[in-house]
């Protein structure tokens, strides 16, 4: 799964997802907790959580263990990260409410899908990126440092460092 190769969900993955569901229930019920308590909860589940990283609950993910957050990262309410493979978010990146980040993908061939096979493609979001509310980041996308993604955009391709993209599909815009 982590190598991006085809896999079939099994009992071990189901157990990992169940553990993540229990973690999300605790995290999402902890709205009144201090910043330090929320950071500790994130650190208990995620691969890496940088200094002063914040995710405002509610938050949803597949596993959590494939997510790395840099220093000062901020995710607003209602974000979803399908992390069947690695998701890396760089320092000081800000992500608006209801943003969805999808690494999970499915074969284009119907017979392969029917066989229950899946795969994932990693997502890398650079430092100092701003992603507007409701944006969707599709599998395999890299967003370069300092880029801006407009609210409601569907990002289907890599975004160059410093670029501004918007729309469905997201296309370069003049800043």
């Amino acid at each position: 799964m982590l190598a991006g190769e085809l896999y079939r969900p099994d009992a071990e993955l189901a157990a990992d997802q169940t553990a993540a569901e229990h973690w999300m229930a605790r995290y999402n019920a902890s709205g009144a907790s201090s910043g330090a308590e929320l950071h500790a909860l994130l650190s208990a589940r995620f691969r890496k959580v940088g200094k002063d990283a914040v995710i405002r609950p509610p938050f949803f993910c597949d596993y959590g263990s494939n997510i790395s957050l840099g220093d000062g990262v901020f995710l607003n309410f209602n974000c979803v990260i399908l992390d069947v493979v690695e998701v890396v978010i760089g320092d000081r990146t800000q992500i608006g409410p209801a943003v969805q980040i999808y690494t999970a993908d499915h074969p284009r061939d119907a017979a392969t899908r029917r066989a229950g096979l899946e795969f994932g493609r990693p997502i890398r979001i650079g430092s100092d990126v701003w992603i507007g509310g409701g944006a969707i980041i599709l599998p395999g996308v890299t967003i370069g440092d300092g880029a801006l993604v407009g609210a409601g955009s569907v990002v289907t391709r890599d975004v160059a460092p410093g670029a501004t993209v918007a729309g469905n599909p997201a296309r370069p815009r003049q800043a």
Side-chain angles (χ1 to χ4, degrees):
M1 179 175 88
L2 294 177
E5 298 173 5
L6 287 171
Y7 68 92
R8 182 175 284 108
D10 60 14
E12 182 179 351
L13 291 177
D16 289 345
Q17 282 188 319
T18 298
E21 289 169 6
H22 290 290
W23 173 86
M24 281 183 284
R26 282 193 320 275
Y27 190 81
N28 291 332
S30 66
S33 296
S34 71
E37 291 169 321
L38 289 174
H39 194 275
L41 277 169
L42 290 172
S43 297
R45 189 83 203 151
F46 287 13
R47 178 176 291 163
K48 176 185 177 272
V49 181
K51 181 177 184 259
D52 298 324
V54 173
I55 296 179
R56 296 178 81 181
F59 168 77
F60 307 94
C61 63
D62 272 330
Y63 301 100
S65 56
N66 297 318
I67 301 171
S68 295
L69 305 177
D71 294 342
V73 167
F74 175 80
L75 278 74
N76 213 327
F77 300 110
N78 250 349
C79 286
V80 173
I81 300 178
L82 301 185
D83 64 312
V84 301
V85 295
E86 183 179 63
V87 174
V88 176
I89 302 173
D91 296 340
R92 299 169 306 279
T93 287
Q94 296 184 17
I95 297 178
V99 167
Q100 301 171 58
I101 299 172
Y102 303 151
T103 65
D105 208 339
H106 300 276
R108 304 309 182 253
D109 174 68
T112 307
R113 283 194 310 274
R114 198 170 29 254
L117 295 170
E118 304 173 0
F119 68 98
R121 294 186 287 147
I123 292 177
R124 291 176 181 80
I125 301 171
S127 296
D128 301 306
V129 171
W130 179 60
I131 300 175
I136 299 172
I137 314 302
L138 294 184
V141 166
T142 295
I143 300 175
D145 293 344
L148 187 147
V149 175
S153 296
V154 178
V155 183
T156 61
R157 293 192 163 98
D158 290 353
V159 177
T164 297
V165 299
N168 179 5
R171 298 189 190 283
R173 307 280 191 223
Q174 296 298 336

